[in-house]
Amino acid sequence: MSGLYGSTASLSSKRRPSDERSEKPQPNDEESFYASCRAAYLTVFKSSLDLITERQQLCLVLQRAGRNPSNRSLSRYWTTKTKELNFDDFCAIVKREKPAARADLLKAFRKLDAANKGYLLHDEFTKIFTTKGEKMSPEEVSAVLRLADVNNGGRLDYNKFCNTFISTCDQCAKMAVEKMESNNRAKRQQFGNQIETSPERSVSPRSYRFSDGDTTPRKVESKSPRPSSARKYKGTATTVINMAPLKNPRHMEPSDLQDWPCTRSKGCFFLEENGITSHHYKLQLTLKSTVYLTIKPLNLSRAEGKPSPWMSVDTALYVLKESDGRGEPQLVAFTELRNKESYVWKGELGAGSYTLIPFTTGCRLRKNKKQVTKEARLVYRDVSEDLQLTAEFRSTLSDVFDIIDLDGSGFLSLEEYNFFELRSSGEKCDDDAWEVCKENFETKNNELTRKGFMDLNLMEANDREGDPSDLWVTLQSMGYNKALEMTEACPFIINVYAEKSKPKMKAVSLESSSRLLQKVLCRSVILKGEANPMDGCEDVIIYTYKNDARIASVIENKSDKKIVLQVNNDQNKNCISSRGMSVFAVEVPGKSTTVSQHVMAVNEKQEWVYHCVQNVLS
């Protein structure tokens, strides 16, 4: 029934049922959303640390969250390569899966009811839904036709069916929340014990999990006295760092840099519900050489003196040495110093193959809550009634072209175009389809021109007779809102200079915040940061790393058991956290390390204070 229950990317949240007897403030939308997700998860699994290991489990837990995913939707999230999904993955999918709306369901049924009778005969219903679109099984059809309240005299009253369907979805989500709220053990397990002296708010459940072998503690920069309320916790640690206004660090660019062989590539960070997706790269060096790396946001603005709004987004580049198939790549370097918008690293790399992973903390690349009051027009009909792209849309498409033209040649190769296709549709364009594309749209030297790219989008609009829905899906996948503003993406450019050999760099994948990246982040903080063993809980160590622009915190749990930490940033000044909340919880499995948060200044021209209290909950 994909025609009825198709899904599009959407933010959604469900508030917990109000409790008139409670004097605590009501949670905000984000907190309520994660509470409802955990509630749904706990109807299927014992803990949010349990993994989804089957497609059917994913379907079931989504239904418990009030979603009704089609098989097509499930196939986007559970592919042939998927082996498992964690709770964070599930939350991201719930946000993407738009709850079915009564108006959409009615619209789909009315397309089948040409005479507008308000019902479908059982024979009609059975024939349509077992032969067309995403086919229902005979058992599923029978289940619908057995609903006494919506069936009478061989007719399905689809108005009543839509009401029943929506109320059932809502009831599933509500019952899951009520079940968790009534189970104090489940609440403590997932959110931490809401101790009376702690801030009275829910906490974010998001955490990353993986193992790391380095457990060597180092001295922390600043540690304040243990708070008087610490006796209520198993362990506590407080870190205070005073940061000066940002000043451009010493310029470390080699004086003869322009004479060094160079390779460069563009890429993009895309904001997702479960993290940030970006291009990953392979770097080849034929000789041992001094290397100079830079990464910075890509300015697409054509107005002089008015840079693109994402230019303040922080960037970093992690360099991993390939291990010739004998294990995971190992971290060898990452950009730490800043030169205006660029983050840079200079050092020596040996001959061989390297993986380059771009990174942004998420402090400044965040969900935009601004409401778009007027949707931009994408197409119009000229005096001859021919469909045309609006000037505003053409300008946006030109920017998209510049972003996906990774080598900056002014043309799109099949490889570059396929990164765009993977992002916008999830599928690649094969060689045969590319040949058809070349026959219909302007190309040069086997590559698509800017004009050809524009005409391809115009053809898509014509195929839909002017309906811009699919064009909007593409634009939103590229980070644009309905006002054609790029609010949930940040294009960037990487430069690699090698003094003694010509470096070769190539984009090889478009990946989300992977396990490998999270492990690399932990490793970098442990190697370069300072350690603070927790008072009263020596098996837990807090590592804190800082450079001129950001602070990162990593939690190491050396014990065998899972721990839950409450992280409190209430005393921070002029700070913004990648978690998006001042108080949240982090679950850390036994014998593992976890990224707690990244923190940056709200206003870099002013002093900022990182004052973080982390407590292990009983």
Side-chain angles (χ1 to χ4, degrees), residues 28 57 72 82 98 103 126 148 166 185 187 211 236-237 253 320 328 597:
N28 62 32
Q57 286 179 333
R72 185 177 179 182
T82 306
K98 184 179 179 181
T126 301
I166 296 298
R185 184 173 179 272
K187 282 180 67 177
S211 299
T236 188
E253 181 178 305
L320 286 66
E328 289 184 335
Q597 64 178 334

Side-chain angles (χ1 to χ4, degrees), residues 378-430:
L378 303 185
V379 296
Y380 70 98
R381 294 196 179 275
D382 61 18
V383 292
S384 302
E385 289 300 306
D386 292 329
L387 208 62
Q388 304 291 344
L389 306 181
T390 64
E392 189 177 12
F393 184 34
R394 291 183 69 86
S395 177
T396 299
L397 285 176
S398 185
D399 284 348
V400 171
F401 184 93
D402 287 334
I403 293 169
I404 62 180
D405 175 21
L406 300 181
D407 62 6
S409 67
F411 304 97
L412 295 182
S413 66
L414 174 58
E415 198 168 39
E416 290 172 329
Y417 182 74
N418 269 335
F419 280 120
F420 169 69
E421 279 291 292
L422 283 171
R423 179 65 196 164
S424 57
S425 69
E427 299 177 355
K428 281 189 174 184
C429 174
D430 59 26

Side-chain angles (χ1 to χ4, degrees), residues 30-128:
E30 185 80 356
E31 294 164 348
S32 296
F33 169 76
Y34 282 104
S36 65
C37 283
R38 284 186 180 276
Y41 211 79
L42 291 176
T43 63
V44 179
F45 301 103
K46 292 182 179 180
S47 165
S48 63
L49 291 179
D50 291 342
L51 298 174
I52 299 171
T53 57
E54 298 176 3
R55 177 189 171 105
Q56 189 55 38
Q57 286 179 333
L58 174 61
C59 181
L60 178 61
V61 76
L62 283 172
Q63 289 172 341
R64 298 292 173 85
R67 304 300 190 266
N68 192 62
S70 64
N71 284 327
R72 185 177 179 182
S73 281
L74 285 173
S75 296
R76 291 207 308 268
Y77 309 124
W78 194 275
T79 69
T80 55
K81 296 182 179 179
T82 306
K83 297 206 181 332
E84 60 187 35
L85 297 172
N86 61 26
F87 175 72
D88 292 328
D89 299 324
F90 167 69
C91 291
I93 293 170
V94 173
K95 281 193 175 182
R96 288 176 65 96
E97 282 295 301
K98 184 179 179 181
R102 184 177 184 277
D104 293 336
L105 295 178
L106 281 175
K107 183 178 178 181
F109 272 114
R110 284 168 181 160
K111 285 182 179 180
L112 305 175
D113 178 20
N116 198 25
K117 304 183 298 294
Y119 63 84
L120 292 177
L121 295 175
H122 285 184
D123 289 346
E124 290 179 306
F125 180 85
T126 301
K127 181 178 179 180
I128 291 169

